[in-house]
Amino acid sequence: MQLEQGLKQIDIAPLIDIVFQLLIFFMLTASFITPAGIKVNLPRTVSSETAQDESVNIIITAENVTYLNERVVTLNELKAQLKKNKNKPILIRADRRSSLGRVVEIWDAARDLGISNINIATIQSE
């Protein structure tokens, strides 16, 4: 009487084929997924104009805290202060790690109030 001992070796060739097919599938589908935003490499500032001293300075820190005249303000308080100073230009000093959305939010608030002279501070590269 001869007993069947089962397979002594497992054939892994089909398993390798399936793994490679999955790898190819995920590589191809990942290349078709495009990010939601547009990638833009911002240029360095070679020459810049000096802002006037009578401009309203708005500072945005890396933590997205907004300062007006070295005082923490909310967006509504900022709008009220900007409404009083409509004729003065605005200088936004945003940290490079601050949210672009916060900068645009302040920019839009100033434009809604009719302020057209809005500047963003940059560091001049050498």
Side-chain angles (χ1 to χ4, degrees), residues 55-75:
S55 64
V56 176
N57 289 322
I58 300 170
I59 300 170
I60 304 170
T61 64
E63 294 81 25
N64 292 323
V65 178
T66 307
Y67 291 87
L68 177 66
N69 299 329
E70 299 180 8
R71 189 176 69 95
V72 178
V73 292
T74 64
L75 187 61

Side-chain angles (χ1 to χ4, degrees), residues 4 45 48 72 74 80 125-126:
E4 299 235 356
T45 306
S48 61
V72 178
T74 64
S125 65
E126 298 173 17

Side-chain angles (χ1 to χ4, degrees), residues 50-119:
T50 306
Q52 301 167 355
D53 289 334
E54 67 262 12
S55 64
V56 176
N57 289 322
I58 300 170
I59 300 170
I60 304 170
T61 64
E63 294 81 25
N64 292 323
V65 178
T66 307
Y67 291 87
L68 177 66
N69 299 329
E70 299 180 8
R71 189 176 69 95
V72 178
V73 292
T74 64
L75 187 61
N76 290 332
E77 292 172 342
L78 182 64
K79 286 180 185 180
Q81 291 294 325
L82 291 178
K83 194 179 284 189
K84 294 177 186 176
N85 299 316
K86 277 188 178 181
N87 298 328
K88 291 185 179 181
I90 294 177
L91 178 63
I92 300 174
R93 296 177 188 237
D95 188 279
R96 74 173 64 190
R97 294 179 310 237
S98 65
S99 169
L100 178 62
R102 186 71 168 157
V103 175
V104 170
E105 195 175 65
I106 292 171
W107 188 293
D108 284 343
R111 296 291 263 184
D112 287 342
L113 294 171
I115 301 170
S116 60
N117 194 356
I118 305 169
N119 302 303

Side-chain angles (χ1 to χ4, degrees), residues 1 3 8 27 29-30 64 89 101 120:
M1 174 165 163
L3 294 173
K8 293 185 180 183
M27 286 173 47
T29 57
N64 292 323
I120 295 181

